[in-house]
């Protein structure tokens, strides 16, 4: 059975897409970062698949898509985790499973650490903050391309396309249409302000350590599925090693021939793997 997807916005300015049976367990999809990112851009194709089994929410994180950024005074992961908690409060949802890609993985981990009773199982795909490069250089190629986007003389389609190509193993996924769609979203003045504020939260000495989630990974008591693309050039595969060692109930799945977007490059396999894991609660 396929379910219609609705688009809503909370009183606090958090935008989300909702699908699936409301009486089922809830899964929250948290997208990655980068210029022009949004819940639908990252997970639009996956939502109908997950909605067959789960009440599914694909959430625009603060400052992305159609969500307001708010005033980012904490580290972005903390800010986004609290925005998610507010969304769940408004919807009357006490406990949810979380799927987080990159930036969204960092938000999912911070949410689970701040609200342990509200977080069920975690699917983390090349998660930001939890990934710690053991062998790969830092910053990585993908992070360098990300930082270059808004650097002087300013954003260009060429810089955006170069960044997007670091996200995938198959460059044919980076179409002209995708570049144009994300460029229009990324160069909106509000989006540029939000990106600047978010970036500042990652480099501010007063907030920097909040983003080092690997330091707190041992506190997680959730069942965690780490998913990595072997060819990930944003958060390379060696970044999984510390998390895998520190998280008590972790398992790791690696897709060969796959970059940072496992949910798209390994669409069918990713969906089956994640759904089987999420349905395994209580085993």
């Amino acid at each position: 059975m396929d379910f219609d997807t609705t688009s809503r916005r909370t009183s606090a300015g958090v935008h989300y897409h909702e699908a699936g049976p409301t009486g089922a367990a809830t899964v929250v999809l948290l997208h990655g970062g980068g210029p022009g990112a949004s819940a639908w851009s990252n997970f639009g194709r996956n939502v109908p698949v997950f909605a067959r089994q789960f009440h599914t929410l694909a959430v625009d994180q603060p400052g992305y898509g159609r969500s307001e950024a708010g005033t980012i005074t904490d580290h972005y992961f903390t800010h986004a985790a609290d925005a998610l908690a507010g969304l769940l409060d408004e919807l009357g949802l006490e406990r949810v499973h979380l799927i987080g890609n990159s930036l969204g993985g960092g938000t999912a981990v911070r949410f689970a650490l701040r609200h342990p009773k509200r977080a069920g199982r975690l699917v983390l795909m090349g998660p930001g903050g939890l990934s710690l490069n053991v062998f790969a250089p830092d910053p990585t190629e993908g992070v360098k391309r990300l930082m270059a986007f808004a650097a002087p003389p300013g954003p260009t389609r060429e810089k955006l396309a170069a960044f997007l190509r670091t996200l995938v193993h198959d460059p044919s996924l980076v179409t002209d249409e995708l570049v144009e769609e994300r460029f229009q979203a990324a160069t909106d003045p509000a989006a540029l302000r939000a990106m600047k504020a978010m970036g500042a939260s990652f480099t501010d000495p007063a907030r920097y350590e909040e983003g080092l989630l690997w330091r707190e990974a041992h506190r997680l008591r959730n069942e965690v599925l780490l998913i990595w693309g072997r060819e990930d050039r944003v958060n390379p595969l060696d970044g999984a090693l510390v998390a895998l060692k520190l998280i008590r109930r972790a398992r790791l799945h690696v897709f060969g021939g796959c970059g940072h977007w496992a949910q798209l490059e390994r669409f069918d396999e990713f969906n089956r793997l994640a759904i089987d894991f999420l349905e395994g609660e209580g085993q």
Side-chain angles (χ1 to χ4, degrees):
M1 180 183 296
D2 291 326
F3 293 87
D4 293 334
T5 301
T6 57
S7 179
R8 297 188 173 95
R9 197 175 184 186
T10 70
S11 59
V14 177
H15 177 262
Y16 63 98
H17 307 270
E18 183 175 22
T22 54
T26 299
V27 174
V28 176
L29 308 177
L30 296 169
H31 62 84
S38 69
W40 201 250
S41 175
N42 270 204
F43 288 113
R45 288 184 61 207
N46 306 91
V47 167
V49 180
F50 281 87
R52 294 170 193 161
Q53 274 96 348
F54 300 102
H55 174 223
T56 303
L57 303 176
V59 180
D60 285 338
Q61 298 201 76
Y64 288 95
R66 286 182 273 172
S67 284
E68 296 176 8
T71 303
I72 304 176
T73 55
D74 296 312
H75 189 280
Y76 184 83
F77 289 149
T78 304
H79 180 73
D82 288 350
L84 174 59
L87 167 64
L88 300 183
D89 288 344
E90 189 158 326
L91 296 180
L93 296 171
E94 182 57 33
R95 189 168 183 269
V96 298
H97 301 305
L98 299 163
I99 298 178
N101 176 216
S102 195
L103 181 76
T107 298
V109 172
R110 179 53 71 196
F111 178 86
L113 291 169
R114 284 175 73 81
H115 308 281
K117 293 182 178 180
R118 306 192 73 173
R121 292 192 165 204
L122 309 180
V123 179
L124 306 174
M125 307 139 64
L130 194 60
S131 173
L132 178 64
N133 296 346
V134 178
F135 305 113
D138 204 1
T140 62
E141 178 187 1
V143 172
K144 286 180 180 177
R145 294 289 189 185
L146 172 62
M147 294 188 296
F149 175 71
T156 66
R157 290 173 177 80
E158 291 72 23
K159 289 198 287 185
L160 177 57
F163 165 68
L164 293 176
R165 283 193 292 270
T166 69
L167 300 179
V168 294
H169 179 63
D170 178 6
S172 69
L173 291 172
V174 182
T175 63
D176 291 342
E177 292 77 14
L178 175 64
V179 172
E180 185 61 29
E181 175 188 328
R182 290 193 52 152
F183 185 76
Q184 292 302 323
T187 52
D188 179 85
L192 289 172
R193 288 193 298 270
M195 185 180 297
K196 183 177 180 180
M198 181 186 74
S201 82
F202 278 88
T203 57
D204 181 356
R207 296 177 283 178
Y208 173 76
E209 293 195 3
E210 287 183 58
L212 303 180
L213 297 172
W214 57 269
R215 290 186 175 183
E216 302 177 60
H218 67 279
R219 293 173 46 211
L220 288 172
R221 294 296 179 264
N222 314 72
E223 290 277 0
V224 177
L225 172 61
L226 301 167
I227 295 179
W228 243 272
R230 186 182 62 199
E231 284 74 34
D232 194 326
R233 291 183 282 161
V234 179
N235 290 331
L237 177 57
D238 63 295
L241 299 177
V242 171
L244 184 63
K245 184 175 181 65
L246 292 177
I247 298 173
R248 181 177 298 181
R249 304 167 75 187
R251 64 196 76 175
L252 171 66
H253 186 94
V254 180
F255 287 112
C258 179
H260 200 51
W261 277 350
Q263 78 277 17
L264 296 178
E265 292 202 89
R266 288 292 179 266
F267 180 77
D268 291 325
E269 296 169 272
F270 167 81
N271 291 334
R272 287 195 299 269
L273 179 69
I275 289 171
D276 285 348
F277 170 75
L278 294 175
E279 288 187 325
E281 186 169 26
Q283 294 180 0

